[in-house]
Amino acid sequence: ADWVSSALGDTIEVASVASPSSSTEEVKDDRYALARRAALEWETSSQMESYELVYGELSLPVLTTILDAVGVLPGDRFLDVGSGDGALVLGASLLYAGDDGKKNAIAAARGLEIVPGLYERSLQHEEKLQNIILKEKGVDGGRLLRKQQSPVEFHLGDIHKASSDSTLTHILEDSTLVVCFATTWSAGNAKAEEATTTNSLQGRKLPLLSKALQGLPKGARVVIVDGRLDSDDGHEWQGDLKICCPDTAPWSIASLYHKR
């Protein structure tokens, strides 16, 4: 977690946007502000169709809590839908890499992001993480850890158009453990039909996202934060977990679904 935080710029030592006297919280706020700005600039300069973009983050400790509750299985392929600047993907790639030399139980860590600026930042953070690992572990230790680390992939695209994009279709078909947070806040997610007046703040139903995730394989586990999927799309609700998240203080609900 410390290495990922350093790669993201959440620690003073590697933060180029902070003054020498800045606190860790101030540095983290700067990164968060930059990420939100990238999302806002893209939203105001592009054609968003019916989507409303909202930026938010889960912390690595919260991701760990979620994954421990869900249960990571050997060979799981992790996907973060709305991966922002890459924090959760990079965290997942290292969370289960053991000191005993065993490879991470997560076989692949992927992120899907619709905002080009955030996608570019995630690539930069991945490169920084590899440099930090090399610096901290040395050449031989860095090589060993990279062998244990899950392969990382970041993709630029719209989850709601996965059915018409062969790359995104393949990503969904190959994902067994999916987490989705801030994208679920988009009011446009709920407008699957013109006749409905339901939005993401009324019942937290997410028909568009629910249909998009139909491309997941049978048995895939999906965690939706503050949102609900439709059982008619093959998503079977398993239970809820209360989590603490600054973006939705005082708490949020992470709901687990299994794909039938």
Side-chain angles (χ1 to χ4, degrees):
D2 290 341
W3 291 342
V4 174
S5 294
S6 295
L8 295 171
D10 286 350
T11 57
I12 297 171
E13 291 78 8
V14 297
S16 60
V17 295
S19 67
S21 61
S22 296
S23 69
T24 300
E25 285 302 315
E26 288 171 340
V27 174
K28 187 172 183 177
D29 287 345
D30 284 335
R31 179 184 70 81
Y32 188 83
L34 289 172
R36 290 189 62 133
R37 187 183 308 156
L40 179 61
E41 288 176 352
W42 182 77
E43 181 181 11
T44 56
S45 64
S46 65
Q47 297 296 320
M48 286 295 293
E49 298 179 349
S50 61
Y51 304 144
E52 173 191 347
L53 189 66
V54 182
Y55 184 80
E57 289 188 3
L58 289 179
S59 67
L60 291 181
V62 170
L63 175 65
T64 304
T65 298
I66 290 174
L67 295 185
D68 286 346
V70 171
V72 173
L73 303 176
D76 264 334
R77 279 93 64 197
F78 174 85
L79 174 64
D80 181 11
V81 177
S83 53
D85 60 8
L88 299 192
V89 176
L90 296 177
S93 76
L94 287 169
L95 278 177
Y96 298 94
D99 295 332
D100 55 3
K102 292 184 179 179
K103 192 172 180 62
N104 195 338
I106 296 177
R110 302 181 178 115
L112 176 62
E113 176 56 50
I114 194 174
V115 180
L118 293 176
Y119 165 74
E120 293 296 334
R121 285 170 61 82
S122 66
L123 297 179
Q124 295 169 10
H125 291 155
E126 180 188 5
E127 182 177 0
K128 288 181 179 179
L129 176 61
Q130 297 307 320
N131 291 334
I132 290 170
I133 290 175
L134 184 62
K135 178 181 178 181
E136 293 293 328
K137 303 291 287 187
V139 175
D140 292 338
R143 288 175 179 171
L144 176 60
L145 184 57
R146 283 197 291 270
K147 288 182 179 180
Q148 296 172 266
Q149 182 185 11
S150 307
V152 172
E153 297 177 13
F154 290 106
H155 297 271
L156 180 65
D158 184 349
I159 185 64
H160 303 106
K161 298 179 179 179
S163 61
S164 60
D165 186 312
S166 59
T167 298
L168 299 188
T169 297
H170 171 71
I171 291 171
L172 282 179
E173 291 175 345
D174 192 52
S175 297
T176 61
L177 182 55
V178 180
V179 172
C180 185
F181 178 36
T183 51
T184 64
W185 293 350
S186 171
N189 272 305
K191 298 177 181 177
E193 299 177 3
E194 291 296 328
T196 184
T197 59
T198 301
N199 61 44
S200 56
L201 298 179
Q202 296 173 326
R204 303 288 185 179
K205 296 179 180 179
L206 305 167
L208 284 181
L209 181 64
S210 184
K211 292 184 182 302
L213 295 178
Q214 283 181 305
L216 291 169
K218 181 179 179 180
R221 290 102 72 216
V222 184
V223 177
I224 303 293
V225 179
D226 291 336
R228 293 169 55 192
L229 301 181
D230 195 333
S231 61
D232 290 341
D233 295 323
H235 306 295
E236 184 176 344
W237 178 78
Q238 300 294 303
D240 293 332
L241 176 69
K242 183 182 289 187
I243 57 175
C244 296
C245 175
D247 285 321
T248 56
W251 45 265
S252 286
I253 296 296
S255 299
L256 171 64
Y257 294 84
H258 278 188
K259 180 68 169 58
R260 295 195 301 272

